[in-house]
Structures are given as structure tokens and as C-alpha cells.
Amino acid sequence: MHGEALDLSRPIAFDSPEDRRAAVAFFNAAFRAEESGLRQAHELAGEVGRWDPELAECLALYGDEEGWHRQLLTQFLGWLGGEVRPMGPTTRTFYRLYGRAKRMESIVLVNLMFETIGSATYRLALRKAAHPTVRHMLTILTRDESFHVPLNVHFLRQALSRAPDARPRLRALYHATFLGLVASTAPSRRRAERFDRIPRRQLARAYAEQLARLFLDEEDLGIAPSPLLLRAFRLDRTTLLRAPSPVTLEAAERAADREDVAVTAL
Ligand SMILES: [Fe+2]
Ligand SMILES: [Fe+2]
């Protein structure tokens, strides 16, 4: 991790103060996601350590990586001419609800969904981002989150093996979080669209597709999207299944060595 640094020597120019504000808002959202991932992973590591020290170590390392992202984002926000700012009302509500989750399987599921929409947003933002340092920041985040997604599915399986009755509750949580995250594209567009140039429809569509794809093919988890949800978002199961699953062991292996990961815009 610490061998990789952002080149902050080339300044960035914005056309207007509003454009700078939008960029700062975009990366503040990323900062909050990293901070939350870091805290939850380390808390879980403490708990899991009592029954599986190796899994706990894995969680701790994963949290450390989120901590590294947070550190990079702190420098990067300064370079943008901004800083870490207090959360807006939507973000605060999200994290407050999430912070109340106490069971490992719920925490891991929500985290996994956050990672999924995070990497979808970063990949879409890569389409328009021009400055090499901005592209580097987005690439680091996309690359590492693409490993965190299957990694969290592994954590989820481990958690479910100790809480086999949790599936119906998790499925309800999955559906509620799905709707909440797709709805969150509205406030996020108000704040950040000037920077990332992702129209709301496109972002909402990407969130719905990526979140629906997650567990479509993981029968043992029992949290596949309902046919009603798929219909409501005009998603077709067969079409979704054509895209490679982001949560398999193969996906994890492809993303495990960060030197070999090719990050592409979505
Ligand atoms: Fe991260
Ligand atoms: Fe992550």
C-alpha cells in the first residue's frame, strides 16, 4: 500500500467555484464510505477474533486498506482545495442507520452494497475525468473495491454459517438497502453531478444493475432480488446473468494482485 503515492505536484484548475465544490462533495462521499468501512471492519475483527483468528486478521487487513484509502482521500481533498466536511442530511441518516447494525451478517451485507455502488460510481466517473491525478485516485479506489466486493461475500458466508436463520431478515435488508441506494442518486446528483457528469438516470440504472447482479447466482445465500424488484427496475435476469459475476472466487482471484488489475470505465 505505502509504495503507491498520488502525484500531487500538478495543480488542478476548475472553471468555477461550483465545479470545485462538486469535486470536493464527490470525494467527501468517498471519504465517508472509507471511514465507515474502516471502523466496521476493525470492530468486526475484534469480535470475530474470539472464534476465528485468521478471519479476524483478514478483516483487520481489509480495514487497514480502507484506512489507507481514507488517508489518500484526505491528502487528495486538500489538493482539490477542499477538506473533509460534515456529512449532509442524507449521508448522515444512512450512516446512522448503518451504525446501528449489530450483527455481522447485516454489517457485511450493507458494506458490500456500499462497495458495489462505490465502484460503479468511480468507474462511471472515469469516463469523463481528465486530470491524471484524479484518474489515479479513481483507479486506486475502483481497483481495490473490486476485491472488497468478493471479499465481503466471503465474510458474509462465514457470518451466515454461524447464523443460518438470518437469511429472511438479510433478504429484507437487501431489498430495503437496494431501494435506499438507488434513491440516494437524487441528492448525490445535486451535489456532485457538476464534477462527475453522470446523469441521474444513468447512475440509478448502474446502481440497480450492479446491486441486482450481486446475489443473482449465489443460491446458498438466499438473498437474490425478488422478481418484483427486477420488474420494477425493468431488469432482466438472463441479461444480468450474462455479465460476469463480481462476487465469485474467480473474481476475487482476478482482483487480488493489484499490479495485475486492469481498471476500465463502466
Ligand atoms: Fe476503500
Ligand atoms: Fe472497500
Side-chain angles (χ1 to χ4, degrees), residues 34 65-66 69 115 141 145 148:
E34 303 300 347
E65 187 160 86
E66 301 297 29
H69 288 167
E115 302 268 16
L141 296 174
E145 305 316 340
H148 294 171

Side-chain angles (χ1 to χ4, degrees), residues 33-34 37-38 62 65-66 69 111 114-116 122 141 144-149 152:
E34 303 300 347
L38 161 67
Y62 157 60
E65 187 160 86
E66 301 297 29
H69 288 167
N111 203 33
F114 278 27
E115 302 268 16
T116 304
Y122 303 146
L141 296 174
D144 297 345
E145 305 316 340
S146 64
F147 181 62
H148 294 171
V149 171
N152 272 284

Side-chain angles (χ1 to χ4, degrees), residues 96-107:
R96 194 177 291 151
L97 286 173
Y98 180 40
R100 271 202 233 137
K102 288 286 168 272
R103 299 172 203 245
M104 176 170 176
E105 62 277 8
S106 313
I107 294 172

Side-chain angles (χ1 to χ4, degrees), residues 204-218:
R205 183 81 201 156
Y207 282 12
E209 283 176 2
Q210 305 286 323
L211 292 171
R213 180 69 185 89
L214 276 180
F215 307 116
L216 208 53
D217 212 11
E218 310 298 313

Side-chain angles (χ1 to χ4, degrees), residues 54 66 101 114 156 160 164 178 195 211:
E54 287 190 338
E66 301 297 29
F114 278 27
L156 187 60
L160 274 175
F178 186 114
F195 164 71
L211 292 171

Side-chain angles (χ1 to χ4, degrees), residues 175-190:
H175 283 84
T177 310
F178 186 114
L179 296 173
L181 290 174
V182 175
S184 78
T185 53
S188 114
R189 296 308 71 208
R190 279 199 294 280

